[in-house]
Amino acid sequence: MKTDLGTRLFWIAVDRWNTDKPHIHVLVRSVDQASADLVISRDCVSRGLRSRAEELVGIKLGQSLSTGSAKRSNET
């Protein structure tokens, strides 16, 4: 995202287990080249960030079974 937005990002994340669906909250802050607060579009957050996260998870853990393109090694 640093490359996409053209600026350095500062972030913190916390994983939450307080509901039936574990989830993560991510706080991102940065400034643009004019030292104004960086405003990230809703589309970038809802689609771009999610897409990047899915890519990284796929690299680290393997493809999701929901895509039908891979199976876990312990399944037959």
Side-chain angles (χ1 to χ4, degrees):
M1 288 194 64
K2 176 181 172 182
T3 303
D4 295 341
L5 298 172
T7 188
R8 185 172 174 188
L9 301 174
F10 301 93
W11 62 274
I12 187 169
V14 62
D15 58 339
R16 301 293 307 269
W17 299 82
N18 61 335
T19 66
D20 290 339
K21 296 182 179 181
H23 58 283
I24 296 173
H25 293 269
V26 179
L27 177 64
V28 178
R29 185 171 195 292
S30 189
V31 293
D32 63 16
Q33 294 172 343
S35 297
D37 287 341
L38 179 68
V39 178
I40 302 173
S41 73
R42 185 176 296 248
D43 185 58
C44 181
V45 172
S46 65
R47 290 188 178 86
L49 187 58
R50 181 181 301 253
S51 174
R52 295 281 184 167
E54 288 173 350
E55 285 177 29
L56 292 173
V57 167
I59 291 168
K60 295 285 186 180
L61 302 177
Q63 293 277 328
S64 169
L65 289 177
S66 64
T67 65
S69 61
K71 287 191 175 186
R72 292 185 183 149
S73 61
N74 62 350
E75 294 182 352
T76 57

